[in-house]
Amino acid sequence: METRYAIILAAGKGTRMKSKLYKVLHPVCGQPMVEHILQRVTDTNPSEIITIVGHGADKVQAQLGERSVYALQEAQLGTGHAVMQAAKFLEGKKGTTLVISGDTPLLTSQTLNHLFEYHQGKNASATILTAQADDPTGYGRIIRDHVGIVDRIVEQKDATIEEARVKEINTGTYCFDNELLFSALSNLNTDNSQGEYYLTDIIEILKTQGHSVAAYQTEDFNESLGVNDRVALANANQFMRERINHQHMLNGVTLVDPSTTYIDAGVVIGSDTVIEGNVTIKGQTVIGEDCVITNGSRIVDSQLGDCVEIRSSVVEETTIEKGTDVGPYAHLRPQTVLGEGVHIGNFVETKKATIGRGTKVGHLTYVGDATLGEDINVGCGVVFVNYDGKSKYQTTVGNQSFIGSNVNLIAPVTIDANTVVAAGSTITKDIPEFAMGIARAKQENKEEFAKKLPYFKEFQ
Ligand code: UD1
Ligand code: MG
């Protein structure tokens, strides 16, 4: 294989996004657009990847890290000017250079590899990746001569009415003979409606110099979608979502209603897991096999073992082991760890809580800053009182203890194994093993007293 290089253009501000966030950092299915591009480019095995940064340079670099080197484009004078910034890394080197925009996140590595191969096969000085668009508005048009050979690319703003009718568009992705690319760049000028150095003009320059130029057309226009505004961003998210969902289904995951299932790029899901409609799964989430995620659930940055059931609940930065069930309407907040076969019922909230195997927290309970052992029963309406308005404190509950309903455990407090906490107690002191903690006012019955109350008088 020839030596491959890649240049990612990511210095633009993205004015048309009307955003404080730099364009290439806008996420598509959970990952910044430029991250998608870097991953696809890396799949084609280039020996060097140069990312052109400008607006938001530090943030783009923080995202991509050491997987790329960077060239700073101080003023954004156009895509051709952006490529010039890579000269210090690539000028004079033999090989093929892929130039790709940071705003075309749907391109696949398969298409990029085909582009490289086509370019090699044609022995061209440049090969443009093109697509056939139903609506080419906004894209550069591919102008071919009377026998169909590529002549040049004309930008929308510089196109005549006739040129604007052309439906074959420039995807903004190209392969170049590296040496010819950098020598041709010096011939660019800003003689166009936007006063910019257009990379697209390189095609005409190479042709004038007598070099051959080729075009490789993708079958799927959607793959080449360039994101310049929020409308295209929404379309890109939709296409990417469809692609991700499709892949999960092929892998053996049942999606009951794929059109309302939102799964980020990079999420892993085991086979025979069933995901109902209106479910969102985000970030670095891994879900095991044979799980059930019912409608309305939202799972973020969490790890779920096999046979876990999440019923209409919110799960964030949580680890859940095999066979545990959650919800409906539970909220598992960061640093929750649930062991095997745990039951979390409705209206339960957890945070920084480790709950051991077989423990049941069934109803209307808050568990925060706590460690619970195994096979514990937590009654209805228990509050782990962890906060005094200034600091947070820990509660520990040992194995097989029974916490009655409507109990407050005021942290810091330790409830040993095999204890009982009487319903309605407000516990402030530790409870030793095999003891029962009871902390509630003694009941007194006042004979005949009810009759004196106005309420009862009405019925007499
Ligand atoms: C560009 C192409 C157009 C093509 C379209 C495909 C040119 C002149 N036009 O138009 O033919 O159909 O992409 O999506 O190339 N950038 C820089 N520095 C700059 C200017 C841009 O790094 O000075 C980066 C941007 O961050 C972006 C990419 O280059 O990632 C493309 O720039 P953009 O302004 O989006 O170009 P388009 O108008 O989409
Ligand atoms: Mg663009």
Side-chain angles (χ1 to χ4, degrees):
M1 199 173 76
E2 83 281 18
T3 306
R4 292 177 173 182
Y5 311 104
I7 301 174
I8 301 174
L9 307 184
K13 181 168 185 288
T15 312
R16 291 163 281 181
M17 295 296 282
K18 302 196 174 143
S19 175
K20 289 177 278 304
L21 185 65
Y22 303 109
K23 178 166 74 172
V24 298
L25 293 174
H26 274 266
V28 169
C29 292
Q31 282 179 0
M33 290 198 271
V34 72
E35 173 68 35
H36 285 285
I37 297 289
L38 179 80
Q39 289 182 12
R40 298 299 79 78
V41 165
T42 305
D43 291 341
T44 67
N45 291 318
S47 63
E48 291 180 53
I49 301 174
I50 295 101
T51 303
I52 313 301
V53 292
H55 282 286
D58 48 345
K59 294 200 170 64
V60 175
Q61 282 180 239
Q63 171 65 40
L64 304 184
E66 290 179 2
R67 293 173 292 166
S68 171
V69 295
Y70 302 91
L72 183 68
Q73 185 191 23
E74 273 176 36
Q76 282 66 50
L77 306 179
T79 47
H81 181 256
V83 173
M84 288 177 204
Q85 313 311 309
K88 63 178 176 201
F89 292 104
L90 296 181
E91 196 165 25
K93 289 188 179 170
K94 277 204 188 330
T96 302
T97 300
L98 173 76
V99 176
I100 189 166
S101 295
D103 67 349
T104 50
L106 291 150
L107 284 170
T108 61
S109 35
Q110 195 185 23
T111 295
L112 299 182
N113 272 321
H114 284 161
L115 175 66
F116 269 115
E117 285 154 19
Y118 189 87
H119 175 79
Q120 279 301 106
K122 288 279 166 187
N123 208 10
S125 66
T127 304
I128 312 160
L129 183 67
T130 74
Q132 206 65 31
D134 287 340
D135 176 11
T137 309
Y139 293 92
R141 309 296 205 282
I142 305 296
I143 308 300
R144 293 176 183 262
D145 66 15
H146 60 285
V147 287
I149 293 172
V150 177
D151 214 20
R152 59 202 161 86
I153 302 170
V154 60
E155 288 305 292
Q156 161 105 22
K157 288 184 177 154
D158 303 288
T160 62
I161 293 173
E162 201 164 305
E163 287 168 337
R165 281 201 202 102
V166 172
K167 296 208 159 175
E168 188 182 10
I169 59 105
N170 169 29
T171 65
T173 313
Y174 324 77
C175 272
F176 291 103
D177 174 283
N178 185 65
E179 288 166 291
L180 290 178
L181 169 64
F182 284 96
S183 64
L185 280 171
S186 55
N187 297 308
L188 284 184
N189 61 48
T190 56
D191 190 10
N192 53 55
S193 69
Q194 300 187 76
E196 289 184 356
Y197 293 98
Y198 288 168
L199 179 61
T200 45
D201 287 347
I202 286 285
I203 300 302
E204 207 177 349
I205 292 169
L206 287 169
K207 286 220 78 168
T208 316
Q209 292 175 345
H211 302 292
S212 72
V213 170
Y216 173 72
Q217 203 177 80
T218 56
E219 279 161 29
D220 178 11
F221 166 75
N222 292 344
E223 212 190 287
S224 55
L225 187 85
V227 176
N228 293 324
D229 58 28
R230 309 275 184 151
V231 176
L233 183 67
N235 290 336
N237 268 294
Q238 189 193 326
F239 297 142
M240 184 71 85
R241 185 163 76 232
E242 284 168 5
R243 188 188 288 173
I244 290 169
N245 288 353
H246 191 84
Q247 194 55 50
H248 284 299
M249 290 187 276
L250 292 182
N251 290 348
V253 178
T254 295
L255 301 185
V256 175
D257 182 9
S259 66
T260 63
T261 305
Y262 306 86
I263 304 174
D264 273 359
V267 167
V268 177
I269 307 174
S271 64
D272 287 322
T273 283
V274 176
I275 298 176
E276 295 186 354
N278 258 312
V279 164
T280 298
I281 305 174
K282 296 191 73 61
Q284 311 283 313
T285 293
V286 178
I287 296 178
E289 296 181 7
D290 302 303
C291 294
V292 176
I293 316 291
T294 81
N295 58 294
S297 294
R298 181 180 172 86
I299 302 175
V300 184
D301 292 325
S302 295
Q303 287 73 46
L304 278 57
D306 296 339
C307 306
V308 166
E309 186 169 341
I310 307 291
R311 293 177 294 260
S312 309
S313 293
V314 176
V315 177
E316 301 158 329
E317 293 175 42
T318 286
T319 303
I320 304 179
E321 286 181 34
K322 199 174 168 180
T324 284
D325 72 291
V326 174
Y329 317 119
H331 186 185
L332 308 183
R333 291 170 51 208
Q335 296 180 47
T336 294
V337 178
L338 306 181
E340 259 184 62
V342 166
H343 167 66
I344 301 289
N346 45 199
F347 307 109
V348 171
E349 177 179 339
T350 62
K351 186 221 69 172
K352 282 194 183 165
T354 299
I355 299 180
R357 186 178 53 77
T359 287
K360 295 180 174 58
V361 186
H363 337 262
L364 299 154
T365 287
Y366 173 63
V367 185
D369 297 290
T371 305
L372 280 67
E374 298 177 357
D375 299 319
I376 293 165
N377 190 81
V378 178
C380 176
V382 174
V383 179
F384 284 65
V385 183
N386 60 332
Y387 186 47
D388 64 2
K390 198 165 170 235
S391 304
K392 302 274 167 68
Y393 302 93
Q394 288 288 322
T395 299
T396 304
V397 182
N399 295 346
Q400 283 127 38
S401 284
F402 183 96
I403 316 284
S405 292
N406 196 25
V407 160
N408 298 310
L409 299 173
I410 304 205
V413 70
T414 299
I415 317 293
D416 277 355
N418 303 301
T419 58
V420 170
V421 180
S425 294
T426 291
I427 299 296
T428 53
K429 289 189 221 138
D430 293 353
I431 305 176
E433 189 166 13
F434 298 116
M436 177 177 84
I438 179 162
R440 63 190 185 209
K442 276 230 164 76
Q443 183 172 333
E444 185 187 348
N445 292 342
K446 298 193 173 176
E447 301 295 333
E448 302 292 309
F449 190 84
K451 288 182 181 169
K452 295 181 196 161
L453 297 174
Y455 173 78
F456 279 97
K457 277 185 182 157
E458 274 179 36
F459 298 110
Q460 284 162 6

